[in-house]
Amino acid sequence: MAEDEDGKEYRWETGYEKTWEALQEDDDGLLEASVADIIQRAKRKRQAERKGHTKLGMMRHLYLIIDSSEAMLDQDLKPTRQLCTNKLLEGFIEEFFDQNPISQMGMISTRNKRADKVSELAGNARKHLNVLQAQFSQPSQCSGEPSLQNALELAASSLKMLPSHASREVLIILGSLTTCDPGDINQTIVLLKSHNVRVSVIGLAAEVRVCSALCRETGGTYSVVLDDRHFRDLLYQHVEPPPSAAAGSQEASLVKMGFPHHEMTEGRSSSLTMCMCHIDSTSDASKLKSGGYFCPQCRSKYCELPTECRVCGLTLVSAPHLARSYHHLFPVQAFVQLDLHSTDQRYCYSCRVRFGDNEKYVYSCGTCHRVFCLECDMFIHDTLHTCPGCATHQSTFLQQGR
């Protein structure tokens, strides 16, 4: 741990910080101005950390390793670590596939010194949510100690078989301070590094040295949660695709994809057939459908996109999936922070709300020079990924060109 400016090594050796003094009341006795200032500082920090001109792994293959040991029954996160993690992961999975529609995710559970793959790599968020509810929602499902090495080797055995253009990632939710491994975990770290597997860890208890070394060697991030809100922030930082682990050596290559359309079963529009997605669950008659998406290469049937053909291995997507991934390659540049009194604009260009007296700053797009409020600035960069002023200008230009 780096030493502080006064030479003290640990935080508890220094004087306590009066963090509540950062909140200041305005003339009306309200805290909205201070809260908005704290939010905008955190937002600007996140935007500053986004580096441009970086090669990203757009087709992400992420394994979630979830600790299911007895340590997950502790109640420092309410009501328990297990239930808190389960609830936050539900939102994370939905947001992950919303922002990364052509990516895949799998889940691994570790308890009783073992590791079990509970969900294969797939692009169906609903499937993972059902597995999460079935495998990680009961206290009886937490027992024994985790095995970090077994879980990592299980994930590596699947990730190392992926093509070179795929981004290989592992995210570990670890609540235990111990791990029971059958061998030398340093050899596993070397194996992960050789296959360009990025490993990140979110600790729920305290910092563990082996996790710190694991993340440092593989290029991942290691964080320890403070509370449930901090846990959510750390988890959602992994929604955006990270820089490619093999950006220095990986050459540009074309990726073969199929774009199937939804159609009825050929020649037998009224007959019910089983799709390849649910070929293993033959007892579920509700999955028998008359139509679906047919692979343009082998004509295998699937009920949802995106997916990978289980017969020929072709990646099946739709055009909107690629369009929704476009904003990662060309993100909206951070807006310029302006003092409210330095501009003659009194309304937010996006929501048309009048700027109040409590607002200190407004935000201007560097391209179209439209002015936005704090809430719209955050919404544009975190959700919309398109500047409304630039989009309106382009639409007007095209209409005039006609």
Side-chain angles (χ1 to χ4, degrees):
M1 182 181 298
E3 294 187 359
D4 297 331
E5 294 180 358
D6 55 359
K8 300 296 184 180
E9 185 176 1
Y10 298 100
R11 179 60 63 90
W12 52 267
E13 292 182 308
T14 63
Y16 64 88
E17 299 178 4
K18 299 180 180 180
T19 54
W20 58 87
E21 292 183 353
L23 297 177
Q24 299 292 335
E25 296 182 356
D26 56 14
D27 296 336
D28 298 327
L30 301 177
L31 299 175
E32 294 181 359
S34 295
V35 173
D37 187 57
I38 294 174
I39 292 176
Q40 71 92 12
R41 283 203 304 267
K43 175 190 69 66
R44 307 297 291 189
K45 180 180 178 181
R46 291 199 306 268
Q47 293 182 6
E49 292 175 350
R50 297 176 181 175
K51 299 179 180 179
H53 306 288
T54 303
K55 190 170 186 178
L56 303 178
M58 300 301 300
M59 297 185 64
R60 304 174 63 185
H61 293 75
L62 173 68
Y63 263 112
L64 274 176
I65 298 179
I66 305 175
D67 185 359
S68 298
S69 64
E70 292 181 352
M72 296 299 288
L73 298 178
D74 290 351
Q75 299 181 0
D76 49 355
L77 296 176
K78 300 300 180 183
T80 63
R81 291 180 181 177
Q82 180 198 27
L83 297 179
C84 180
T85 300
N86 188 64
K87 185 64 176 179
L88 293 178
L89 283 178
E90 290 180 0
F92 170 75
I93 291 175
E94 293 180 349
E95 186 70 14
F96 178 85
F97 285 106
D98 181 69
Q99 299 293 330
N100 306 272
I102 59 176
S103 299
Q104 297 186 19
M105 178 187 293
M107 287 191 289
I108 295 175
S109 172
T110 173
R111 60 175 176 266
N112 293 329
K113 310 177 181 66
R114 300 179 55 187
D116 300 309
K117 187 184 297 182
V118 297
S119 177
E120 295 283 350
L121 286 173
N124 190 340
R126 208 174 321 166
K127 172 185 175 181
H128 298 300
L129 291 174
N130 294 336
V131 171
L132 186 68
Q133 186 65 26
Q135 298 289 336
F136 303 100
S137 59
Q138 299 299 326
S140 59
Q141 296 168 338
C142 295
S143 59
E145 282 186 283
S147 178
L148 194 59
Q149 184 181 18
N150 285 334
L152 289 173
E153 291 186 349
L154 184 59
S157 63
S158 297
L159 294 175
K160 68 180 182 180
M161 306 301 295
L162 297 175
S164 59
H165 62 263
S167 176
R168 308 165 186 177
E169 305 170 47
V170 174
L171 176 59
I172 304 174
I173 310 296
L174 187 64
S176 176
L177 293 176
T178 60
T179 173
C180 186
D181 300 329
D184 186 3
I185 195 173
N186 293 311
Q187 297 180 0
T188 305
I189 296 176
V190 173
L191 175 66
L192 293 167
K193 186 176 180 180
S194 64
H195 291 296
N196 294 321
V197 179
R198 181 193 305 270
V199 182
S200 299
V201 180
I202 297 179
L204 306 185
E207 183 173 336
V208 181
R209 184 178 182 276
V210 66
C211 295
S212 178
L214 171 65
C215 298
R216 182 177 62 253
E217 293 296 327
T218 59
T221 59
Y222 181 36
S223 306
V224 179
V225 304
L226 301 177
D227 51 27
D228 54 346
R229 293 187 178 182
H230 187 227
F231 188 8
R232 182 185 183 277
D233 292 339
L234 294 177
L235 197 59
Y236 276 63
Q237 288 178 7
H238 297 275
V239 170
E240 294 188 4
S244 177
S249 59
Q250 183 180 359
E251 297 181 357
S253 59
L254 297 178
V255 181
K256 188 176 182 179
M257 292 186 176
F259 296 87
H261 297 281
H262 192 276
E263 54 186 276
M264 304 300 291
T265 306
E266 292 184 352
R268 295 181 295 174
S269 59
S270 60
S271 61
L272 299 178
T273 56
M274 179 70 68
C275 65
M276 295 297 295
C277 317
H278 305 91
I279 196 66
D280 298 330
S281 57
T282 55
S283 60
D284 192 354
S286 63
K287 302 302 180 183
L288 294 173
K289 297 181 180 180
S290 59
Y293 297 94
F294 291 86
C295 175
Q297 186 164 270
C298 66
R299 301 302 296 170
S300 299
K301 175 183 171 183
Y302 298 88
C303 60
E304 291 183 348
L305 297 178
T307 187
E308 183 175 332
C309 182
R310 301 176 64 175
V311 177
C312 63
L314 184 66
T315 301
L316 305 179
V317 298
S318 64
H321 291 144
L322 293 181
R324 283 162 53 192
S325 302
Y326 179 83
H327 70 266
H328 292 305
L329 297 178
F330 303 96
V332 180
Q333 297 298 319
F335 290 170
V336 180
Q337 180 176 295
L338 302 176
D339 188 274
L340 178 61
H341 302 289
S342 64
T343 176
D344 56 354
Q345 300 293 331
R346 289 295 174 262
Y347 292 89
C348 173
Y349 183 79
S350 179
C351 64
R352 305 305 298 171
V353 170
R354 182 179 178 85
F355 296 131
D357 298 333
N358 295 328
E359 296 187 61
K360 296 181 179 179
Y361 306 105
V362 293
Y363 304 91
S364 173
C365 174
T367 303
C368 65
H369 304 291
R370 306 291 187 182
V371 178
F372 302 90
C373 63
L374 173 64
E375 288 76 10
C376 289
D377 182 20
M378 297 177 62
F379 178 76
I380 290 170
H381 286 89
D382 297 339
T383 305
L384 189 60
H385 306 293
T386 300
C387 174
C390 296
T392 304
H393 177 75
Q394 293 174 358
S395 176
T396 305
F397 179 78
L398 291 176
Q399 291 178 359
Q400 292 177 351
R402 291 181 180 179

